[in-house]
C-alpha cells in the first residue's frame, strides 16, 4: 500500500487540532477529524455519562479510517487522540502533541470539563499515554511541544525525513 496518513495524537487539549489543520493546509493534504467520522458514521457504542464522551469502537474506527486513507484522492492528516491505534502500516508519521500541565488544566477548565476528567487527562499527559501507546504500535513518531510557537517549516522537514526512513 502506498497511501498512508500523517496522524496527530495527544491528550485532549494539547493542540492536536491546531497542528493537524496547519499541517494539512501547508502540505496540501486533506484534514480528517476523527470525532466527526465517529459521529457521522455512528461508530460509537454509546455514551459514557461520567466522562461525558462517546464510547468508540476502535476496530470499527480503524476500518473506517483505513478505507478513507486508501480511497482518498489526496494524502490525509488525521486528527484524534485515538489515531495512534491505527495500524502502523497505514501511517507515515505519528505526530504526538504535548503541552505544559498548567496550560492544559486551564484549557480543559475553559472547555467545561469536570474535575475528575481534567485530573484523568492530566494524568494521561504526565504518563505520556498517547506517546507510549504510539510507540507500542510501532509508529514513526515526532513529538511536538505546543507551549511555544510551533515551527511548521522545521516540522515539515522532520516529517519528510521520517517518511523516507520507512
Amino acid at each position: 500500500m502506498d497511501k498512508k496518513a500523517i496522524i496527530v495524537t495527544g491528550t485532549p487539549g494539547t493542540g492536536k487540532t491546531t497542528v493537524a489543520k496547519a499541517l494539512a493546509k501547508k502540505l496540501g493534504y486533506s484534514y480528517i477529524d476523527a470525532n466527526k467520522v465517529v459521529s457521522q458514521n455512528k461508530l460509537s457504542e454509546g455514551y459514557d455519562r461520567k466522562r461525558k464522551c462517546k464510547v468508540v469502537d476502535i476496530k470499527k474506527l480503524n476500518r473506517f479510517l483505513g478505507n478513507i486513507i486508501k480511497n482518498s484522492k489526496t494524502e490525509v492528516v488525521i486528527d484524534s487522540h485515538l489515531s495512534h491505534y491505527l495500524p502502523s502500516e497505514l501511517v507515515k508519521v505519528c505526530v504526538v502533541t504535548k503541552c505544559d500541565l498548567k496550560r492544559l488544566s486551564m484549557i480543559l477548565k475553559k472547555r467545561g470539563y469536570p474535575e475528575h476528567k481534567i485530573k484523568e487527562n492530566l494524568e494521561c499527559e504526565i504518563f505520556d499515554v498517547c506517546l507510549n501507546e504510539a510507540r507500542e504500535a510501532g509508529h514513526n513518531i515526532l513529538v511536538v511541544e505546543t507551549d511555544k510557537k510551533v515551527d511548521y517549516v522545521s516540522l515539515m522537514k522532520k516529517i519528510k525525513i521520517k517518511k523516507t526512513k520507512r
Side-chain angles (χ1 to χ4, degrees):
M1 168 197 267
D2 55 346
K3 277 199 182 172
K4 294 183 182 181
I6 293 173
I7 58 174
V8 182
T9 190
T11 304
T14 57
K16 288 181 304 300
T17 299
T18 301
V19 170
K21 284 182 175 180
L23 280 176
K25 184 175 182 180
K26 291 173 185 304
L27 293 168
Y29 289 9
S30 296
Y31 169 79
I32 308 293
D33 178 345
N35 290 329
K36 284 185 182 175
V37 170
V38 168
S39 293
Q40 292 170 349
N41 299 284
K42 298 177 177 77
L43 301 176
S44 69
E45 297 182 322
Y47 189 78
D48 183 331
R49 283 194 170 91
K50 183 180 177 199
R51 289 191 174 97
K52 296 186 178 181
C53 64
K54 292 179 180 173
V55 177
V56 178
D57 183 325
I58 300 291
K59 287 182 182 176
K60 283 183 187 175
L61 177 61
N62 284 350
R63 268 194 308 276
F64 206 91
L65 291 174
N67 285 329
I68 289 173
I69 294 165
K70 291 173 195 169
N71 297 318
S72 177
K73 291 185 181 2
T74 64
E75 300 288 330
V76 298
V77 175
I78 298 174
D79 169 12
S80 173
H81 71 285
L82 303 173
S83 64
H84 60 272
Y85 289 115
L86 273 166
S88 61
E89 60 269 10
L90 296 176
V91 177
K92 288 179 184 175
V93 177
C94 175
V95 177
V96 179
T97 57
K98 299 202 40 67
C99 82
D100 174 76
L101 296 176
K102 285 181 185 175
R103 182 169 176 252
L104 180 57
S105 180
M106 270 184 10
I107 290 166
L108 298 177
K109 281 177 187 167
K110 280 183 185 175
R111 289 184 180 181
Y113 280 32
E115 274 306 311
H116 66 88
K117 190 169 178 178
I118 292 171
K119 183 179 182 228
E120 182 178 61
N121 280 292
L122 289 173
E123 288 171 357
C124 286
E125 186 68 359
I126 290 166
F127 293 110
D128 283 327
V129 172
C130 291
L131 177 59
N132 288 323
E133 289 178 348
R135 281 185 182 133
E136 288 170 15
H139 289 301
N140 198 357
I141 299 169
L142 283 172
V143 175
V144 174
E145 297 285 341
T146 58
D147 297 324
K148 304 171 199 118
K149 189 172 189 237
V150 176
D151 179 352
Y152 287 101
V153 172
S154 174
L155 180 57
M156 289 188 305
K157 284 179 186 173
K158 289 176 185 174
I159 286 171
K160 287 181 180 148
I161 291 167
K162 287 272 190 184
K163 282 172 28 177
T164 58
K165 285 185 179 178
R166 273 249 151 171

